[in-house]
Structure formats: C-alpha cells, structure tokens
Amino acid sequence: MKAHDGMYIDGAWRPAASGDTIDVVNPLDEQVIDRVPAGTAADVDAAVRAARAALPGWAATPPAERAAHLTALRDVLAARKDEIAETVTAELGSPLAFSQAVHASVPIAVAGSYAELAASHAFEEKVGNSTVYQEPIGVVGAITPWNYPLHQIVAKVAPALAAGCTVVLKPAEDTPLTAQLFAEAVDGAGIPAGVFNLVTGLGPVAGQALAEHPGVDLVSFTGSTAVGRQIGATAGAAVKKVALELGGKSANVILPSADLAKAVNVGVANVMSNSGQTCSAWTRMLVHRDQYDEAVELAATAAAKYGSRIGPVVNAKQRARVRSYIEKGVAEGARLVAGGPESPAEQGYFISPTVFADVTPDMTIAQEEIFGPVLSILRYDDEDDAVRIANGTVYGLAGAVWAGEEAEAVAFARRLETGQVDINGGRFNPRAPFGGYKQSGVGRELGAHGLSEYLQTKSLQF
C-alpha cells in the first residue's frame, strides 16, 4: 500500500504537526520503500482529545452494536488479507507464505473472537444485595511492536473497543504501513470518528508523549522489558493503569519419556519462526543428559533446513544485536553446531539459523532475550534440575513441555513460573490468556482475560 502523509485522527487523515518523516525500509533488500510522518506531542494531543470526545458516545453504545462494528472490522480485514500479507512482507521481511498464514490470518481470528465476546460478555452481575457493573476504563494509549505488527494492534484495539474504550495507537516505526492499513480498515468498518486514532512516530517522542498524556487512562505496551520499566514508571507517577507484555526466554523442556525427534524438530521450528523475532519463542531447549547428544544432532540437522526458508530480521540494528549475542555465546564457551555470526547473504538483514550446544544456565545466551533465530540447548540431570533451570531467568512468558503421557507433562508444567505452556505441541488458542510472570509483564492479552484489562468495576448496594 501507499503510505498516508498524515495521521488518522477523529475519523479522517489529517496533516501532521511536523514535516519530519520516517523511512520505511524493506529488510530483504535494505531499500527505502516509503515514508510516514514522524508524530510529535502535538499530534498525540490532538489524537487523545479526539478519543476523549468520542468516549462518552462509544461507552454508551450497546455491546451488541460494538460487536457488530467489530464484526465489520473483521470482515474488512479478511477482504484485504492478501494486501495485509504483502504489506507485512514488504516492511518486516517475513516470507509471504508466513505472512499469509500468520501475520494476516491470526488477527482476523482475534478480531472475530472479540466481536463474539462483546456480544456475550456479562457487563453486569448480581452479587448478593449488590449489582456489579463492568465499565470501560477510558482512553487507551496502545504502543505496539514490529515483530507481529497487525496481531499486536488487533490484540489491543479489539478488546479495548469491545469494552467501550477509545484508542490512540502508536505503532512501531519499522512497520507503520500495516498500522495505516488497519486504520483504513477501521474507517471502512464504519467505526465512529474518534473511537480509533493513529499517530505514527518514534518511541522516545510520540510513544513517550502518549504514555505521559494526562488524558490517557490506560497504557497498553508490548515490547522490551527495559522500555516497559520506563512506561511503568511514567504511568505509576500518574497512578495510571498499565498492561505490559514484555520479554521472554522461554524453556522447551523435553522429558525422557517424550518423542525426542518430534520435540526437537518442533522446538527448532518454533525458534526459527518469524526469524526468531517472537517474544514467546522457546529459545532454551532443556534435554536430559542421557539424550543430550542425540538431541543436539537432531537440532543441528533441523536448523540446517531453515537456511533459505526464514526471512531477515527487521533492521540493521537488530542484525548487529543478534550477531553480538552469537559472538558472546562463542566467547563464553558455548559450542556452535549450526549457523554463526556470518551473514548468509550479501544483501538484506539476514542471520543464519543458529544452534548452540554445551550451554550452561549462567551464560548470557541462556539468560538474555536475543530476538533472533538462535537456540541454546542445555543439559539437566533430573526433573528438579530441569525446573530450576527453566525458572532460572528473570522472565516467565511462555514455554513447552514434552512427555510420553499428557499427565506427566501437565504435572511438570504446573511447576513452571510462566504464563503459558504448550503441552506436547499444543496449538495456539486465540481465546486463551497470554502474558507473563516476573519481568515478562503485567496483565494478559486475548480472550476474556484480555477484555478484562480494559474494564473497571463499580458496585451498587441495595
């Protein structure tokens, strides 16, 4: 799509307050493909004012009508599915097949789930001699990342609208075209003016202005833990609610009774998916020492198959960051069994699918989020040791457990300090709550739990 040269505010594309722009670069060939406005505090203020003006009317709209608007939004997104996939591929570098299967399809399913929830959710209930109402929290400032550009937008905007909130979105500067396409879809769905507003711009400028704005009641942010801390501190000073979906260093625990080949192959695929740019990726594979050598061999073979199948990382800075982690892994004594820091292509921000063996829990690559196609394989002695290693990071976002019997895997998973665990390759569920323990965040996204983040309660006693 061709970029708009303004901001989507109060139901129309309006000129930006500044003439500054941000280049949109295709990670496949490193070429500038378009430019979008670099929003300022003035743009954010105009968007928040529009959202506040629209709030009373949208909050008073019956849930069934809000559901109908969300259904219309889902239908517009579905009709533009191919264009969404092509746009994500152009600005993120994702292979087109993956963009079609995941980047375009999952948000459509999530939008549909919130259309259904808006119509079915009990916004009031009787509790003894009280009536308890769930009401919209107000104006939402949504700040989204680049790794799943449309999914992260829909996972915030759809529940906010279902709850009766209005929204100002500040998308990642690397993937603003997808956000503009979403704004077009909102407009095409007939959602009233001011209910959704879009300001493109840089995080330290537009993002900070949105987090600080006194007219914003909730800041919903997905991104790094470091930035999440800053937003939490800013919001806390104003006693403002935050929902933070942050980093991860998820463990893929393969118990001795599991189908080792299947667990390893699925685990490698999980890490390489989206070029490793997934906060919930199972980047630590934990294998019993008796099966360790076999698992390493299987993982190295599997990773080699992804050399030409994954896309680049998003930009040159991210490529340099991932390379530095690979070099640090080698320097700290881990053994490379696949990939390495060298680029597999002369053009594009590519990283070789990389697998490390002989990784110990204290190594940097076993503790810090790399956000690239890099897998660390660690040994454990027994289940208690595996639990200790799996829980031995500051993160707790996701994970996986494999075992011969489901009950064995579930018992182990209940010991993990993490928000979501896949059992024997369990499928993604857009209605299940997603979010982390510890420094992986505050709050939940998706399903009814995601809706509740945008609601506040009031009780009347009789």
Side-chain angles (χ1 to χ4, degrees), residues 305-319:
K305 298 176 182 177
Y306 286 89
S308 60
R309 291 165 53 188
I310 65 172
V313 295
V314 70
N315 56 37
K317 180 180 178 181
Q318 185 65 15
R319 179 179 60 186

Side-chain angles (χ1 to χ4, degrees), residues 252-260 262-263 380 383 400-413 422-425:
N252 178 19
V253 183
I254 304 174
L255 298 177
S257 62
D259 181 334
L260 183 64
K262 181 178 180 181
Y380 68 85
E383 286 197 12
V401 180
W402 301 79
E405 297 293 333
E406 183 178 289
E408 181 187 5
V410 169
F412 187 94
D422 292 348
I423 302 297
N424 288 336

Side-chain angles (χ1 to χ4, degrees), residues 315-340:
N315 56 37
K317 180 180 178 181
Q318 185 65 15
R319 179 179 60 186
R321 181 177 188 271
V322 176
R323 281 177 171 172
S324 72
Y325 273 108
I326 296 173
E327 291 166 351
K328 187 170 291 187
V330 172
E332 292 183 0
R335 175 166 56 96
L336 270 175
V337 296

Side-chain angles (χ1 to χ4, degrees), residues 58 63 66 70 114-115 117-118 123 157-165 451 455:
W58 184 247
R66 298 201 296 263
L70 285 167
Y114 278 112
L117 273 170
F123 288 93
V157 175
L161 299 190
C165 299
L451 177 63
L455 294 166

Side-chain angles (χ1 to χ4, degrees), residues 76-86 99-101 104-105 108:
V76 173
L77 292 173
R80 301 184 68 176
K81 181 179 175 181
D82 289 344
E83 185 181 1
I84 291 168
E86 291 166 0
S99 293
Q100 292 169 333
S105 298
I108 294 168

Side-chain angles (χ1 to χ4, degrees), residues 16-357:
S18 165
D20 294 338
T21 60
I22 298 169
D23 289 345
V24 182
V25 177
N26 186 330
L28 288 163
D29 60 14
E30 306 179 41
Q31 300 300 305
V32 175
I33 56 175
D34 219 324
R35 293 176 175 84
V36 298
T40 65
D43 296 304
V44 170
D45 183 64
V48 173
R49 289 178 183 275
R52 291 223 71 85
L55 179 61
W58 184 247
T61 300
E65 289 186 29
R66 298 201 296 263
H69 281 297
L70 285 167
T71 297
L73 176 61
R74 179 204 64 192
D75 292 346
V76 173
L77 292 173
R80 301 184 68 176
K81 181 179 175 181
D82 289 344
E83 185 181 1
I84 291 168
E86 291 166 0
T87 301
V88 173
T89 291
E91 60 183 355
L92 181 63
S94 169
L96 185 58
F98 188 79
S99 293
Q100 292 169 333
V102 177
H103 288 294
S105 298
V106 171
I108 294 168
V110 172
S113 74
Y114 278 112
E116 294 172 7
L117 273 170
S120 64
H121 185 76
F123 288 93
E124 65 177 84
E125 64 174 331
K126 284 287 189 180
V127 180
N129 65 307
S130 303
T131 301
V132 179
Y133 296 91
Q134 293 188 325
E135 301 178 342
I137 200 165
V139 174
V140 173
I143 303 175
T144 57
W146 43 261
N147 59 324
Y148 289 90
L150 185 59
H151 169 64
Q152 296 290 355
I153 290 170
V154 173
K156 297 183 187 303
V157 175
L161 299 190
C165 299
T166 55
V167 179
V168 177
L169 169 68
K170 204 300 286 183
E173 51 263 35
D174 291 289
T175 53
L177 302 182
T178 301
Q180 289 193 344
L181 194 157
F182 178 77
E184 292 179 355
V186 167
D187 197 73
I191 292 173
V195 170
F196 171 81
N197 307 272
L198 169 68
V199 175
T200 54
L202 300 175
V205 180
Q208 185 70 15
L210 186 58
E212 292 177 346
H213 201 290
V216 171
D217 301 294
L218 163 67
V219 180
S220 181
F221 168 79
T222 296
S224 72
T225 296
V227 176
R229 288 193 195 99
Q230 297 173 11
I231 288 176
T234 297
V239 197
K240 184 182 301 185
K241 184 178 179 181
V242 295
L244 304 173
E245 198 270 279
L246 307 175
K249 194 67 185 176
S250 301
N252 178 19
V253 183
I254 304 174
L255 298 177
S257 62
D259 181 334
L260 183 64
K262 181 178 180 181
V264 170
N265 285 324
V266 174
V268 171
N270 175 278
V271 173
M272 302 308 160
S273 176
N274 208 41
S275 303
Q277 299 169 128
T278 303
C279 55
S280 57
W282 311 333
T283 52
R284 294 180 298 147
M285 181 179 289
L286 277 57
V287 184
H288 190 276
R289 65 172 52 256
D290 292 344
Q291 299 173 314
Y292 188 81
D293 291 341
E294 182 182 358
V296 168
E297 185 176 347
L298 287 167
T301 300
K305 298 176 182 177
Y306 286 89
S308 60
R309 291 165 53 188
I310 65 172
V313 295
V314 70
N315 56 37
K317 180 180 178 181
Q318 185 65 15
R319 179 179 60 186
R321 181 177 188 271
V322 176
R323 281 177 171 172
S324 72
Y325 273 108
I326 296 173
E327 291 166 351
K328 187 170 291 187
V330 172
E332 292 183 0
R335 175 166 56 96
L336 270 175
V337 296
E342 298 79 14
S343 176
E346 293 184 3
Q347 189 177 51
Y349 306 126
F350 288 92
I351 293 287
S352 295
T354 297
V355 177
F356 278 105

